[in-house]
Structures are given as C-alpha cells and as structure tokens.
Amino acid sequence: MPANINGDHRASLRTISTSLRKLHKALIDLETTRFGQIGGTFEHLQLVSGHPQFAWIRRLSEILVELDERLDEPEDIDAATLLSYKTAIERLLALGPENDTEFSKKYIAALQESTEVAMAHGALRHLLFLANDAAGLP
C-alpha cells in the first residue's frame, strides 16, 4: 500500500492524481499510435485537444485538470472532496453494461489492446479502493 494513501486527504488525492495521469498518458499514447505519424509536440497537442479521434479521452482530461486545480488550492481537502473525485473517476471508468457510453466502449477496447493501459487501470482502481480507508469509510 502506498505510504501516503492513508495519510491526509490531500496526499491521498495527490496519489490518485498521479495514477490517473499515468492512465491518461497511456490512453493518449495508444490513441496516438492508432492515429499514425504526427509532427512535433505542438501538432501532437493540437491533435489531442482538437481532433475527433481523441475526443473520447477529453472527459478524463477534464477530471484530471479539475483534480489538479483543486490540489493547487490552499484550502484543506476533506473526506467529501476526496470521495467526490473518487466517485467521478469510478463512474467514468466503470466497465459494466450500465456504462454504455462512447468513452466506455473505447476504454474497454484500450484495456484489451494495451498492457500499459491495463496496468495503469489496475493501479488506479487499487488506489480508488484504498481511498475509502483514507476517507474513513469501511
């Protein structure tokens, strides 16, 4: 278990953010490979932020930005905030038939196609499970 997941809520949220960033990068890398040859860094950024092929990943990007902005704020992070982010991430990444969204369909395909995505998913799911302890929930 990571040392800081059972510490304060900010440390727990930061650990989740780091893991979410790894998953996000794995998804971007996979989709970039699927897309094919691109130019430099600027062209890559333009693709990720504006091309329809990458649109399905944007909700995850938005959660990551919101999470990082909250971590940059000086106010304390309480259990409710930790659980709110945990729930939002879990809802987006849910793999069951109740989550019949474009994101879910493409995410499941990415999990099956990429070992990096699958490993990042597993690590994040483990941290989300541990967040219950960090938030004081059973």
Side-chain angles (χ1 to χ4, degrees):
M1 172 172 24
N4 62 352
I5 196 70
N6 284 326
D8 66 85
H9 299 123
R10 181 176 301 279
S12 298
L13 206 52
R14 191 172 319 273
T15 302
I16 290 170
S17 174
T18 299
S19 186
L20 185 62
R21 186 172 315 287
K22 288 177 185 174
L23 175 60
H24 184 262
K25 181 183 181 321
L27 291 170
I28 295 292
D29 290 349
L30 175 62
E31 202 60 46
T32 299
T33 301
R34 289 174 177 165
F35 185 84
Q37 185 65 31
I38 57 169
T41 304
F42 180 74
E43 289 84 4
H44 191 226
L45 179 60
Q46 291 296 99
L47 281 174
V48 170
S49 62
H51 195 278
Q53 186 166 335
F54 293 84
W56 70 276
I57 302 173
R58 288 194 194 111
R59 182 59 193 130
L60 186 62
S61 304
E62 291 167 0
I63 291 173
L64 191 54
V65 168
E66 292 170 18
L67 178 56
D68 288 345
E69 286 176 350
R70 179 60 183 95
L71 285 167
D72 286 344
E73 294 174 2
E75 292 84 22
D76 286 341
I77 294 175
D78 59 11
T81 300
L82 174 60
L83 290 176
S84 174
Y85 282 106
K86 173 190 176 293
T87 301
I89 295 165
E90 285 177 330
R91 281 188 185 139
L92 183 64
L93 303 182
L95 301 176
E98 69 281 354
N99 192 1
D100 189 30
T101 63
E102 178 186 10
F103 178 90
S104 180
K105 291 173 188 173
K106 291 187 177 195
Y107 186 63
I108 290 169
L111 283 168
Q112 294 170 343
E113 184 176 342
S114 169
T115 303
E116 289 78 18
V117 171
M119 289 187 333
H121 171 83
L124 178 60
R125 295 294 302 175
H126 179 70
L127 291 173
L128 293 171
F129 174 77
L130 294 177
N132 284 338
D133 288 340
L137 296 176

